[in-house]
């Protein structure tokens, strides 16, 4: 029999990941990787180790849509990627894309974030 995951009884976490452009989302979907700013790395790594699952919901700034969502597949390492070609990104980590689809924010207006003054999730 398979032993249970050591994190199975821990909470599930969700993060909205804003990208400056659609090209970064395309690279992520093709290669199964993501990179974020160093200021986000500590929060994401803590969530990865302290949660059973971490879901990342992606949106390009100014698009008015979500571009899909993925599961965080590894902790963030020190290795950087040249794929984004932009300074300011930290280490690379694996993501497992679950849904790749443009979903307008209006379809999620009923979702409110209690940790952000109950603002709409977008």
């Amino acid at each position: 029999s398979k032993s249970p995951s050591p994190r199975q009884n821990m909470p599930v976490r969700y993060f909205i990941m804003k990208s400056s452009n659609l090209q970064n989302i395309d690279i992520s979907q093709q290669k199964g990787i993501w990179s974020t700013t160093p200021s986000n790395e500590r929060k994401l790594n803590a969530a990865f180790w302290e949660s059973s699952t971490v879901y990342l919901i992606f949106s390009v700034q100014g698009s008015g849509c979500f571009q899909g969502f993925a599961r965080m597949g590894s902790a963030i390492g020190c290795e950087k990627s040249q794929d984004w070609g932009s300074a300011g990104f930290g280490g690379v980590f694996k993501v497992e894309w679950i849904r790749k689809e443009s979903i307008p924010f209006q379809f999620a207006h009923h979702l409110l974030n209690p940790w952000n003054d109950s603002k709409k999730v977008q």
Side-chain angles (χ1 to χ4, degrees), residues 29-122:
Q29 291 176 342
Q30 290 168 15
K31 296 190 173 192
I33 59 172
W34 188 252
S35 185
T36 189
T37 60
S39 62
N40 290 334
E41 287 184 348
R42 186 176 305 154
K43 285 181 195 174
L44 288 173
N45 269 341
F48 181 78
W49 292 114
E50 297 168 2
S51 306
S52 60
T53 306
V54 177
Y55 290 106
L56 306 174
I57 304 160
F58 293 86
S59 177
V60 174
Q61 291 175 350
S63 70
C65 297
F66 296 110
Q67 279 69 40
F69 66 99
R71 182 181 306 108
M72 192 172 173
S74 72
I76 302 168
C78 296
E79 180 184 337
K80 297 185 185 260
S81 173
Q82 300 304 314
D83 289 310
W84 279 267
S86 175
F89 287 107
V92 174
F93 60 99
K94 293 179 184 176
V95 294
E96 302 158 6
W97 279 85
I98 298 166
R99 183 112 186 211
K100 303 172 187 177
E101 184 176 346
S102 183
I103 303 165
F105 289 156
Q106 67 190 30
F107 293 142
H109 276 177
H110 64 287
L111 300 175
L112 304 177
N113 184 347
W115 294 282
N116 189 19
D117 298 326
S118 292
K119 292 179 182 174
K120 294 176 183 174
V121 174
Q122 61 184 42

